[in-house]
Amino acid sequence: MNLAKLSIQRPVFIACTVILIVVVGIVSFGKLGVENFPDMSIPTISINVTYPGAAPNEIETLVAKPIEDELSTISGLKKLRSICNEGSVVIVAEFSSETVISYAEQQIRDKVAFAKKKLPAELEEPVIKRLDPADQPILSISLQSKLGENEFYDFASETIKQRLISVSNVGSVDIVGGRKKEIWVELDRNKLKSRNLSATQVSQRIAAGGANIPAGKVRGEDSDLSFRTINEYRSFDEIRNVPISFLNNEIPIQLSDVGRVVVGSEDVTSLAFWNGKPALFLLVYKQSGANSVQVAEAVKKKIIDLQKEFPEVKFDFYNDSSKVVKDNVWDVEESIYIGIALTIIVVLFFLGSVRSTLITGLALPTSLLGSFILMSFAGFTINQMTLLALSLAVGLLIDDAIVVRENIHRHKEMGKDSKQAALDGTKEVTLAVLATTFAILAVFGPIAFIDGVIGQILRPFGLTVCFALLISLYDALTIAPMMSAYFGGEHNPKEPGKIERYLSIPLRAFDRFQEKLTNGYVKTLGISTKHPLFVLSIALLIFVSSIFLSKTLKSEFIPTQDLGQFTVTFELPPGSSVEATKELNEDVNALLRSKKEVGLTAGYVKQNKIDIYVELVSSKKREMNTPQFKEYIRKELSPYAYAKPIVKNYDAIGGGQRSFSFVITGNNPEEIESYSKLVFEKVKKIPDLTDPDISLRDGAPEFKIVPKGEQIVKMGVNPQALGKELRTIVEGDTSAVFREKNLEYDIRVRMLEDQRNIEKNFRQVSVPNINGYLVPLSFVSSGVSTTGPATIQRQNRSRSVEISADTNPNGRGSGYTMSELQRILKEDLPLPEGIKVSYSGQTENLESTGKNMAIALGLGVVFIYLVLASLYESFIIPISILVVIPLAMTGAFIGLYVTGKSMDIFANIGMILLFGLATKNSILLIDFAKDLQNTGVDTRTALIEAGRARLRPILMTSIALIAGMMPVAVGLNEASKQRTSMGVTVIGGLISSTILTLYVIPAVYQYITKLIDSMSKKKK
């Protein structure tokens, strides 16, 4: 079917299709969700298990190992990691990319449920959830008030939290910081001992007396009658009067006889600070599939209402993900608008006609709106990757229309009328337009099949480019010829239009420049075609030089961030008190807030650890960018070196990943520890890394109670009962609850504060035997003061140690540090038998990205070759077109080197795009030359004439593409700075491929033609 002929014969039909695309596109755009990243299904599930008071060794033995043993049998499991801390363990199960996440989650739940019978009874219910980048807080809210600690927590939990949950599409709200009220039952050891009572016995009596028990139901003829006992504790007196025991008579021993009941607070797990002052944080999560921007805006409106309703409470918010989304979306939209404007200006100057410019420019809104229709069908959202695809496509979308309109313009210059020029001009370049479009589709199509997380990120990007190109192809072959036939006007350079008259001086000057450029190019092409071998030698030399240049480029997964936010962490020695950590937090916050560049700080204190989120003021109000300020703060924190300060990028996903990390695993803990320390000392000397850290920590002080085998049997003490009693003495037991004003509080039973230290009171502590009599602890056990690991890491059921660091912005990147690590492991510290080293986090992603990108690029080249071979019905001619790819890589490498950019994920995306773009110019040149050859013109003359006729569209398309990419390469604000490597890659490759294509491709084609001729002669 001749689409150009159809569009000229039925213009109303074509106009209706355009109107339909525009209307449906606008409707589809309004329905698309807005997110920061594409919707990703990461096959990773975490299990959080809490065992209060347990040391990391016990957590590993009693909790981590039994669960790991069960999980290891699940099919598709790729990696199993565990981090055992004091009182808790986090187990992360990572599955292969083809595993269905819902299946994996259900398997995890089943296995954990099966493992429960092997776990301690005191464990809290395991929390199992998917690791989903979209399931992160969209907004963090700070609350400050003069209310009492317990009252403030209840107010936040029961009032503010409930109001926020009621906001449309809010999924959940978590509270961080503060302490909930508890009812403390504090027992006196001496009073218990005088009455031969144990702490465990008291706890059991309180738990038994504080629960409502349904007694059952009697069915009658007319109605049923239910019976239940009401035993809930509703006053402190009810708790004090709980009977604990009878002393061989009818006089009960009540709780008040052995202890006291007071109001207390939960033990400190985390404290929150807003600009150094105590606060409560509410973390707001959206429902799955909801629009992040809309939900965040609705929550902020609710906060304004709450502030008016509760003026005594100060509301602030930070870490607003909707701001990041809006900044990124606006940045890409801004790039699209500027790219469109620059592209239209390029077309106007080359064609010198406003009508031609409008006809060509119509491809942009049509293609962009049409893309939204296909994106809606594909289930995509408006996010960084889809908008980035559209910003890259700005130059591409107009390319086909430029080629068609320029050729129609050329035919009109021959004296043809508008309809005939539109028909002949479109027909002449149809094959070239199809070839160039399908070549780019062949590059971006394979991206949809890349595995893993990278594939999920790039799939919307690649397919969005394909959607836009398909619509632009329809525009070029139908709308452009139809508009040219009926609205293109007659070619009359002597009577320019009104706008042309205003721009006559620059347009005529540019036209004269074009003519001189064309004549100069034809002359130099005539010379170069006489010496094709010399031209190819120069091109080969340039390409080889660029390969050596590429070795000097730094490579990393994600480029250095300049988002105006970062994190500072500290860790005091194990065993440090919360008060000491709070004091350090106050000092550091004061230091940070004294800097004019700091806008706010929000931090957490957890026992001996501090985590401070720092948000800088607008980039317009500070002289230093984020990496520079981080380096400055790193030096300012040197006096606190004892607390291991680390200044690192803010991790929005919350996985704690750093730029460079690897894991050392093995079965011998002592050997792993000693070897890891040696490796860490070597890693610290790599200048390209900052703030290196190792997961090993100095031992936390602990006091071990070791049962005496014979004595414990003789005295009739059950070891499990011994442990239960000691746990109740120190940690306390919370098996009963107290209800007040419809709120529920734990009742914690334990010893008085000065009687909880078993090490100091070892000889005074008693434990019950199987008959209920108290036996001195020192009779049946011995106490040993020692140290235990502060944290234990495991990977794939083996002990592991992780070494991590951030890359120096002025260094040679993660790629170099990876190669340097390999050198260390090979030459300096060869791996002992039984020990393995594997990359993790961003370093692992960088390794897999390189492999996946290489596969994508390889498939792209193969598919381009197959497309061209099919269109030209030749296996040899496509070779002359594909030669341009290494020429494009040359410019990309030079561009990255000159601008100091790294070979990161965005540069890799740009390289894939470049593979498709580079072939466009070659196709235009070879296609025209081949047509001339078919009319009997010799190869050299055909190439020279093809150069003369195709120079203008080649320059137009290339400069239009460069203009469209310029905003991306410049990076107009903080949000776009990390994507500049992509723009630099494309622009550098386009410049080199365009210049070299004009000379190198004719030289290659001459040899290809000779080869075809010699093969034809042999057949004859």
Side-chain angles (χ1 to χ4, degrees):
M1 179 187 292
N2 190 332
L3 290 176
K5 186 177 181 180
L6 174 68
S7 66
I8 293 170
Q9 290 177 346
R10 302 192 61 183
V12 175
F13 169 71
I14 298 300
C16 288
T17 62
V18 174
I19 294 171
L20 182 64
I21 290 173
V22 170
V23 172
V24 179
I26 292 172
V27 173
S28 299
F29 176 73
K31 292 184 177 181
L32 292 174
V34 181
E35 298 292 344
N36 197 15
F37 293 104
D39 185 25
M40 292 182 287
S41 175
I42 300 179
T44 303
I45 297 171
S46 68
I47 305 107
N48 292 266
V49 186
T50 301
Y51 187 16
N57 274 321
E58 279 67 45
I59 291 287
E60 179 189 33
T61 305
L62 301 177
V63 183
K65 284 184 177 181
I67 294 178
E68 287 178 359
D69 290 341
E70 294 297 331
L71 298 183
S72 63
T73 61
I74 301 176
S75 62
L77 185 65
K78 179 182 174 183
K79 187 187 293 183
L80 193 60
R81 292 175 286 137
S82 301
I83 302 176
C84 305
N85 295 310
E86 183 179 347
S88 66
V89 61
V90 178
I91 302 174
V92 179
E94 182 180 338
F95 292 84
S96 55
S97 57
E98 61 270 12
T99 303
V100 179
I101 186 65
S102 56
Y103 162 81
E105 184 178 15
Q106 186 56 51
Q107 287 292 303
I108 290 282
R109 294 187 182 279
D110 293 344
K111 294 296 182 180
V112 171
F114 188 77
K116 277 186 179 179
K117 60 184 180 182
K118 305 176 185 177
L119 303 177
E122 296 81 10
L123 279 184
E124 295 182 9
E125 186 67 22
V127 178
I128 301 171
K129 62 180 181 179
R130 302 179 188 181
L131 184 60
D132 187 354
D135 190 21
Q136 301 302 319
I138 59 168
L139 188 68
S140 299
I141 303 167
S142 164
L143 304 182
Q144 290 178 288
S145 173
K146 294 181 179 179
L147 293 172
E149 184 178 40
N150 297 150
E151 185 183 357
F152 187 30
Y153 187 95
D154 287 343
F155 170 76
S157 176
E158 302 302 323
T159 303
I160 304 300
K161 177 180 176 179
Q162 302 308 318
R163 298 281 188 91
L164 293 177
I165 288 177
S166 67
V167 175
S168 177
N169 288 320
V170 168
S172 63
V173 178
D174 290 344
I175 300 180
V176 178
R179 295 195 290 171
K180 187 178 180 180
K181 184 169 80 172
E182 278 189 344
I183 309 304
W184 287 356
V185 174
E186 296 184 316
L187 305 176
D188 186 303
R189 177 184 295 114
N190 296 324
K191 292 180 180 180
L192 288 174
K193 190 178 293 186
S194 65
R195 293 167 174 79
N196 194 46
L197 294 173
S198 66
T200 307
Q201 188 177 353
V202 175
S203 176
Q204 290 171 347
R205 295 293 181 271
I206 293 175
N212 294 344
I213 299 175
K217 182 168 60 174
V218 174
R219 300 183 182 276
E221 295 182 1
D222 300 323
S223 63
D224 295 342
L225 182 62
S226 297
F227 302 91
R228 63 191 183 101
T229 59
I230 305 299
N231 296 317
E232 287 181 349
Y233 297 124
R234 297 186 179 275
S235 71
F236 283 11
D237 286 337
E238 290 183 5
I239 302 174
R240 294 188 184 100
N241 295 332
V242 170
I244 306 300
S245 174
F246 281 84
L247 196 62
N248 298 322
N249 54 41
E250 295 183 359
I251 302 175
I253 300 175
Q254 297 178 323
L255 176 61
S256 57
D257 297 327
V258 294
R260 64 185 183 186
V261 181
V262 297
V263 176
S265 300
E266 292 178 334
D267 287 346
V268 177
T269 55
S270 67
L271 299 174
F273 293 87
W274 173 262
N275 286 329
K277 297 179 180 179
L280 277 178
F281 291 158
L282 300 181
L283 310 184
V284 182
Y285 297 81
K286 69 180 181 66
Q287 292 180 3
S288 178
N291 188 314
S292 296
V293 175
Q294 292 179 356
V295 176
E297 290 300 323
V299 170
K300 283 187 277 191
K301 287 181 181 178
K302 176 62 73 173
I303 291 173
I304 294 173
D305 295 337
L306 290 171
Q307 182 69 83
K308 294 176 181 177
E309 185 177 351
F310 304 105
E312 70 279 5
V313 179
K314 188 174 183 294
F315 292 81
D316 294 287
F317 56 85
Y318 72 99
N319 191 21
D320 182 0
S321 66
S322 69
K323 180 180 180 298
V324 178
V325 174
K326 287 188 289 187
D327 286 348
N328 277 292
V329 170
W330 165 241
D331 169 67
V332 181
E333 286 180 351
E334 188 179 32
S335 299
I336 291 174
Y337 297 146
I338 296 174
I340 289 173
L342 292 175
T343 302
I344 290 175
I345 291 172
V346 169
V347 175
L348 175 62
F349 270 86
F350 269 98
L351 296 182
S353 167
V354 174
R355 288 194 180 195
S356 294
T357 302
L358 292 176
I359 291 170
T360 307
L362 186 63
L364 289 169
T366 307
S367 300
L368 291 173
L369 290 171
S371 302
F372 295 137
I373 300 173
L374 298 177
M375 285 170 59
S376 179
F377 280 122
F380 294 164
T381 59
I382 298 293
N383 55 64
Q384 278 196 56
M385 300 312 296
T386 52
L387 281 175
L388 201 55
L390 294 177
S391 70
L392 293 179
V394 165
L396 286 172
L397 300 181
I398 207 169
D399 265 15
D400 293 339
I402 285 175
V403 173
V404 172
R405 179 57 191 166
E406 190 278 336
N407 209 47
I408 293 173
H409 188 75
R410 191 172 64 85
H411 276 264
K412 289 178 71 174
E413 289 176 338
M414 297 177 185
K416 297 181 182 180
D417 63 80
S418 296
K419 288 186 179 181
Q420 193 61 43
L423 187 60
D424 294 344
T426 306
K427 183 179 180 181
E428 189 176 68
V429 295
T430 296
L431 183 61
V433 168
L434 288 172
T436 55
T437 302
F438 286 142
I440 296 175
L441 291 175
V443 170
F444 284 98
I447 291 180
F449 302 101
I450 294 179
D451 290 333
V453 176
I454 299 301
Q456 294 186 58
I457 295 174
L458 295 182
R459 189 172 297 121
F461 172 85
L463 292 180
T464 299
V465 172
C466 293
F467 296 159
L469 283 176
L470 289 172
I471 303 295
S472 72
L473 178 63
Y474 173 78
D475 175 278
L477 297 181
T478 57
I479 301 170
M482 184 269 287
M483 296 287 287
S484 298
Y486 292 99
F487 303 102
E490 299 300 325
H491 179 71
N492 190 354
K494 294 182 180 180
E495 296 183 11
K498 291 182 180 180
I499 299 178
E500 285 93 334
R501 283 199 294 270
Y502 288 119
L503 298 173
S504 60
I505 294 176
L507 290 178
R508 286 177 183 176
F510 191 79
D511 193 52
R512 288 194 297 270
F513 170 73
Q514 277 191 80
E515 190 174 348
K516 289 181 180 180
L517 185 65
T518 302
N519 293 333
Y521 168 61
V522 170
K523 288 181 181 178
T524 54
L525 182 60
I527 297 172
S528 68
T529 50
K530 290 181 179 179
H531 309 283
L533 184 60
F534 176 76
V535 173
L536 291 178
S537 300
I538 295 296
L540 182 61
L541 179 63
I542 294 173
F543 175 65
V544 172
S545 301
S546 70
I547 292 296
F548 285 106
L549 190 66
S550 69
K551 301 295 182 182
T552 65
L553 297 175
K554 67 177 182 180
S555 60
E556 50 195 351
F557 180 61
I558 297 176
T560 303
Q561 296 182 12
D562 185 15
L563 301 177
Q565 56 185 7
F566 60 91
T567 302
V568 184
T569 64
F570 296 86
E571 185 173 353
L572 288 170
S576 299
S577 67
V578 174
E579 291 303 319
T581 312
K582 284 172 62 179
E583 185 177 344
L584 174 62
N585 178 67
E586 291 173 3
D587 294 343
V588 173
N589 265 285
L591 171 65
L592 291 171
R593 295 197 318 278
S594 68
K595 309 303 177 184
K596 62 181 181 180
E597 292 85 357
V598 174
L600 65 88
T601 61
Y604 305 97
V605 170
K606 296 181 179 179
Q607 192 60 39
N608 65 325
K609 296 179 181 179
I610 302 173
D611 196 321
I612 303 175
Y613 166 84
V614 181
E615 190 172 298
L616 303 181
V617 296
S618 170
S619 58
K620 298 176 182 178
K621 298 179 182 179
R622 50 186 163 89
E623 297 177 357
M624 289 185 281
N625 60 28
T626 310
Q628 291 170 341
F629 187 73
K630 284 168 58 182
E631 186 60 33
Y632 168 70
I633 286 297
R634 193 173 282 117
K635 294 176 182 177
E636 290 287 298
L637 294 175
S638 56
Y640 304 99
Y642 65 90
K644 300 180 181 178
I646 294 177
V647 183
K648 59 184 180 180
N649 292 332
Y650 171 65
D651 182 14
I653 296 179
Q657 291 188 3
R658 302 184 71 187
S659 304
F660 179 74
S661 59
F662 61 95
V663 178
I664 301 172
T665 58
N667 292 318
N668 188 323
E670 291 78 15
E671 188 177 14
I672 293 172
E673 184 173 333
S674 59
Y675 181 73
S676 299
K677 289 179 179 178
L678 294 175
V679 175
F680 182 59
E681 291 302 317
K682 291 286 184 181
V683 169
K684 286 197 294 185
K685 296 177 182 177
I686 300 177
D688 303 84
L689 297 175
T690 59
D691 293 336
D693 188 28
I694 186 170
S695 61
L696 290 175
R697 294 291 183 267
D698 295 333
E702 62 180 27
F703 186 72
K704 292 183 178 179
I705 291 88
V706 183
K708 297 177 181 178
E710 293 183 2
Q711 283 297 108
I712 202 168
V713 174
K714 288 180 179 179
M715 302 301 294
V717 176
N718 185 308
Q720 190 171 0
L722 183 150
K724 176 73 174 175
E725 176 71 9
L726 297 182
R727 181 176 176 79
T728 305
I729 290 173
V730 180
E731 179 69 22
D733 185 71
T734 56
S735 52
V737 295
F738 175 76
R739 289 179 174 82
E740 182 182 53
K741 298 179 181 178
N742 294 322
L743 299 180
E744 189 175 280
Y745 304 102
D746 285 337
I747 299 175
R748 185 178 295 273
V749 180
R750 59 182 173 184
M751 291 295 184
L752 292 166
E753 187 172 2
D754 62 345
Q755 297 178 358
R756 294 174 199 159
N757 191 324
I758 297 177
E759 183 181 16
K760 290 183 178 180
N761 302 288
F762 186 70
R763 296 193 176 277
Q764 284 76 45
V765 176
S766 299
V767 294
N769 67 3
I770 56 178
N771 290 329
Y773 290 101
L774 294 182
V775 176
L777 179 63
S778 57
F779 282 16
V780 294
S781 68
S782 58
V784 181
S785 296
T786 182
T787 58
T791 182
I792 296 174
Q793 290 196 4
R794 296 170 55 81
Q795 181 165 298
N796 296 332
R797 303 168 71 193
S798 298
R799 279 285 185 97
S800 67
V801 174
E802 183 177 29
I803 297 175
S804 61
D806 288 317
T807 52
N808 189 330
N810 301 318
R812 288 163 284 187
S814 299
Y816 169 79
T817 53
M818 290 169 68
S819 60
E820 181 64 11
L821 175 63
Q822 292 302 322
R823 187 197 65 75
I824 292 172
L825 298 179
K826 185 177 181 180
E827 299 175 8
D828 299 343
L829 296 169
L831 285 170
E833 186 177 353
I835 291 182
K836 298 178 181 179
V837 173
S838 59
Y839 293 116
S840 62
Q842 290 187 22
T843 315
E844 184 180 20
N845 290 336
L846 175 62
E847 189 178 33
S848 63
T849 298
K851 295 176 182 177
N852 285 327
M853 286 297 182
I855 294 172
L857 291 173
L859 289 174
V861 172
V862 171
F863 290 165
I864 290 173
Y865 175 80
L866 295 176
V867 167
L868 296 176
S870 302
L871 290 172
Y872 289 108
E873 199 59 35
S874 170
F875 287 110
I876 300 175
I877 289 178
I879 296 173
S880 62
I881 296 173
L882 292 175
V883 168
V884 75
I885 289 178
L887 305 180
M889 294 172 63
T890 297
F893 293 146
I894 294 173
L896 291 172
Y897 178 80
V898 170
T899 56
K901 304 297 180 183
S902 61
M903 196 66 193
D904 50 51
I905 185 172
F906 293 106
N908 276 303
I909 294 173
M911 195 67 77
I912 292 176
L913 175 63
L914 198 55
F915 273 38
L917 296 179
T919 58
K920 292 175 73 72
N921 296 334
S922 303
I923 291 170
L924 290 175
L925 198 63
I926 298 300
D927 185 72
F928 196 90
K930 194 169 180 295
D931 287 343
L932 290 177
Q933 281 182 292
N934 293 336
T935 63
V937 180
D938 65 277
T939 302
R940 183 167 175 271
T941 305
L943 287 168
I944 293 173
E945 290 304 314
R948 185 193 304 276
R950 289 290 179 249
L951 179 63
R952 182 165 64 179
I954 285 174
L955 292 178
M956 282 176 67
T957 55
S958 296
I959 295 175
L961 282 165
I962 291 172
M965 286 301 302
M966 194 62 72
V968 179
V970 172
L972 301 174
N973 54 45
E974 288 181 346
S976 61
K977 291 293 184 184
Q978 66 175 2
R979 296 191 287 266
T980 54
S981 60
M982 179 165 54
V984 169
T985 301
V986 174
I987 290 175
L990 281 173
I991 292 173
S992 68
S993 65
T994 301
I995 295 172
L996 295 174
T997 292
L998 297 173
Y999 295 99
V1000 177
I1001 297 305
V1004 174
Y1005 189 68
Q1006 285 177 281
Y1007 286 107
I1008 293 292
T1009 304
K1010 290 178 181 178
L1011 177 62
I1012 293 174
D1013 290 342
S1014 64
M1015 292 175 65
S1016 299
K1017 289 178 181 178
K1018 286 182 180 180
K1019 287 182 180 180
K1020 291 179 180 178

